Each structure stands twice: as C-alpha cells, then as structure tokens.
Amino acid sequence: MKQYAIFIVTFILLLFGFQLASGIVLTMMYTPNQEVTAVRSDIVFGSTQPSIGLIVMVAAATLAYVISNLIRAKRG
C-alpha cells in the first residue's frame, strides 16, 4: 500500500508539473490570427492535438514509476 501511495503522489505531482510546463510553452508559442473581420463566427475553443495529453500522462507515469522505484531501492 505504501508503494502505491508513493507512486500515486509522484504521478499526480509530475502530471501537474508537466501540464503547467506545457501550458506555459503553448502560451508562449501562441500567435493570434491577424485577420480583421467585423464578426467572427469560426471561433475554435480547445486544442486540435488531442494526443498531447496522452503523451504528457505517459511521460508523467513513466517518471513516477522510476522515482517510486528509486525511493523503494533507497529504503532497502
């Protein structure tokens, strides 16, 4: 049970960190459309790349697994 708790806490912290970092990077790379129109009816909310969330979750889970194994190895 203790190993599971270490894994879950590490996973949640890493997922939060990755989401925060990817949000900062995506915000810095955003370039708004420079078209000037009177009324815009083609507003798109959300991302057009749904796989980025999966990549972030897999990376966070992998790092959480490695970190929990390192903690377990140090304790004996």
Side-chain angles (χ1 to χ4, degrees), residues 2-19:
K2 193 183 254 188
Q3 294 171 357
Y4 179 73
I6 290 172
F7 175 78
I8 291 299
V9 168
T10 306
F11 177 74
I12 290 171
L13 290 174
L14 287 171
L15 184 60
F16 177 75
F18 280 134
Q19 290 290 340

Side-chain angles (χ1 to χ4, degrees), residues 7-61:
F7 175 78
I8 291 299
V9 168
T10 306
F11 177 74
I12 290 171
L13 290 174
L14 287 171
L15 184 60
F16 177 75
F18 280 134
Q19 290 290 340
L20 183 66
S22 67
I24 290 170
V25 168
L26 289 173
T27 301
M28 288 187 330
M29 292 175 34
Y30 175 73
T31 55
N33 192 355
Q34 297 297 326
E35 292 179 7
V36 177
T37 58
V39 176
R40 298 242 355 185
S41 62
D42 59 341
I43 297 173
V44 178
F45 293 98
S47 175
T48 59
Q49 300 172 350
S51 62
I52 192 74
L54 178 64
I55 293 170
V56 167
M57 284 189 285
V58 168

